[in-house]
Amino acid sequence: AIDPRGDIGPDKLHLYGPDGKEYPLGAPSGEISRQTTRNVALPGYVVQVPLIQPQALSTTTFKVGLEPTIPIMSGFALKMSIAISDIADPSRWRVVQRRRIPMRAEPSYQPNPQARFVLVTSTSLDRTVYNAWDKLFREHLGEAIEVYSVSRYGHLDLALPFALDGVPLGDHFKNKIVIVPNMEFNAGSATTSSANAQLRVPSELLPGVFVRSPLDASSRTRFLFIGDREASTQPFQCASMKHFI
């Protein structure tokens, strides 16, 4: 089910189940008429998982699609529950685990040779903060800015190729200033094959060799890490940015 507290309503989301069919998130489906032990119907879409043997693993895959009109960096969260049949009364369901998975409509990286700045985003950087940075560069500095999602692509390693064109990320970032709001985000799905929650900050995904490069190196990429959350959310007040304004 979708958390109603997000920026995006269920009418702007598309959920595709393991069978490839689309299922509505806004209203309960006929499959969820069974009750929990609190006599409350499970909301959203429910898929029944076959009996899992001891020490066995069962994987269920879903796809989530967004309407193209959704504003960049809008956030939403999916709420998931795992329920098992009650041993005493198999007709009733008992919720044994709940998860809330935050997601954000982050844009794909579009390399721009004319841009001098790159803003690194993650699921922790919300739409208000993104709009503030975008306004600073486009309206006040008159500069084009690239947007690179570390939670979408999973790394800041300049030696690794960018997934969409195979060119090393360092070639795209050459001679640019990369601004990194260094806020914790859930990097589990982006950096590993595991679905386990893994809180990281973007600076942990940048190999140290690129930070220790000589300052006068030709075509060097420069990084501006903003560790203070308040400074990250208020670019006009960030001391490191004031000499650009």
Side-chain angles (χ1 to χ4, degrees):
I2 184 172
D3 190 327
R5 294 171 293 178
D7 301 325
I8 304 172
D11 58 316
K12 299 295 184 181
L13 296 175
H14 300 274
L15 177 71
Y16 301 91
D19 56 3
K21 296 180 180 179
E22 183 176 352
Y23 293 90
L25 281 170
S29 69
E31 290 187 61
I32 59 171
S33 58
R34 296 187 180 185
Q35 306 290 305
T36 66
T37 52
R38 295 182 179 180
N39 293 322
V40 178
L42 296 173
Y45 170 68
V46 169
V47 58
Q48 293 193 17
V49 179
L51 180 65
I52 303 175
Q53 299 299 323
Q55 304 301 317
L57 177 67
S58 176
T59 302
T60 302
T61 302
F62 297 88
K63 292 183 178 180
V64 179
L66 306 178
E67 291 284 339
T69 56
I70 289 177
I72 291 176
M73 301 306 293
S74 296
F76 65 99
L78 294 179
K79 299 173 70 175
M80 300 184 179
S81 302
I82 297 178
I84 61 174
S85 294
D86 190 273
I87 296 177
D89 183 0
S91 66
R92 299 170 67 87
W93 292 84
R94 182 184 298 274
V95 175
V96 295
Q97 192 172 112
R98 299 183 191 273
R99 287 290 184 270
R100 184 180 184 274
I101 304 177
M103 298 184 180
R104 199 163 291 282
E106 298 184 82
S108 61
Y109 175 57
Q110 303 292 331
N112 180 1
Q114 305 305 316
R116 295 195 301 136
F117 297 91
V118 182
L119 176 64
V120 174
T121 65
S122 71
T123 52
S124 293
L125 195 147
D126 63 31
R127 181 158 53 105
T128 302
V129 177
Y130 168 81
N131 288 341
W133 282 100
D134 186 69
K135 182 177 181 179
L136 169 66
F137 282 99
R138 297 187 188 277
E139 296 185 13
H140 291 265
L141 301 180
E143 292 276 357
I145 185 172
E146 296 178 350
V147 179
Y148 178 84
S149 168
V150 70
S151 51
R152 178 170 182 163
Y153 297 111
H155 74 86
L156 271 176
D157 192 330
L158 303 188
L160 292 181
F162 175 53
L164 299 186
D165 61 13
V167 176
L169 190 61
D171 288 4
H172 290 307
F173 285 3
K174 188 177 298 182
N175 286 323
K176 296 179 180 179
I177 298 174
V178 182
I179 300 168
V180 187
N182 213 29
M183 298 182 287
E184 278 190 337
F185 70 102
N186 187 342
S189 59
T191 58
T192 69
S193 59
S194 170
N196 294 331
Q198 187 178 17
L199 291 178
R200 306 281 293 276
V201 291
S203 59
E204 294 180 291
L205 304 180
L206 176 69
V209 63
F210 298 113
V211 179
R212 295 191 295 269
S213 299
L215 289 176
D216 59 350
S218 177
S219 303
R220 179 177 183 266
T221 301
R222 288 166 170 79
F223 289 87
L224 172 60
F225 290 97
I226 306 175
D228 181 80
R229 188 175 185 88
E230 183 175 354
S232 296
T233 57
Q234 300 181 42
F236 289 92
Q237 302 300 321
C238 178
S240 299
M241 291 300 300
K242 286 185 176 179
H243 64 283
F244 289 117
I245 301 175

